[in-house]
Amino acid sequence: MPVPTSTKLGDYQLAMSDILDGNAFLPVLFLLATVVSGKPVLPAAHDTDIYLTALGIILTVVYMAGLVFCPRRQYARMGVDSIAAIVIYLIGIAGLATIAT
């Protein structure tokens, strides 16, 4: 079930698990590729791969902080953690466009 559908149904745990699983998947792929190939893959990774991995880690930390601290104050019906995640994501996409060129 996609994240927007689960949030419309009020199943926020499913939405959060989908976000956290997606962000945690790329670093695991680097580990799997290293095990399969028998040599480290990070030195051969492109700048965009490393950048997206770092962006995923940062976003995961923001969402985890939101789960732990559970902010009650809301702006535009969003918690501070969600606003921070949106801002980081937008900055991250702009940075990706810069790195990719």
Side-chain angles (χ1 to χ4, degrees):
M1 182 179 319
V3 173
T5 305
S6 62
T7 54
K8 284 181 186 177
L9 294 173
D11 190 359
Y12 300 109
Q13 289 179 341
L14 179 61
M16 287 306 298
S17 69
D18 188 40
I19 291 167
L20 293 176
D21 289 347
N23 287 347
F25 188 65
L26 188 56
V28 171
L29 284 179
F30 282 131
L31 176 63
L32 181 65
T34 299
V35 169
V36 168
S37 68
K39 59 182 180 176
V41 295
L42 282 177
H46 296 285
D47 292 340
T48 54
D49 297 330
I50 303 297
Y51 184 81
L52 286 173
T53 301
L55 183 61
I57 291 169
I58 291 169
L59 286 171
T60 301
V61 168
V62 168
Y63 279 118
M64 288 173 61
L67 287 173
V68 170
F69 298 112
C70 201
R72 299 282 179 217
R73 186 152 189 145
Q74 293 186 347
Y75 304 94
R77 296 181 56 196
M78 293 186 294
V80 177
D81 56 329
S82 295
I83 293 171
I86 290 171
V87 169
I88 291 169
Y89 181 79
L90 293 174
I91 291 170
I93 295 301
L96 181 62
T98 303
I99 288 176
T101 56

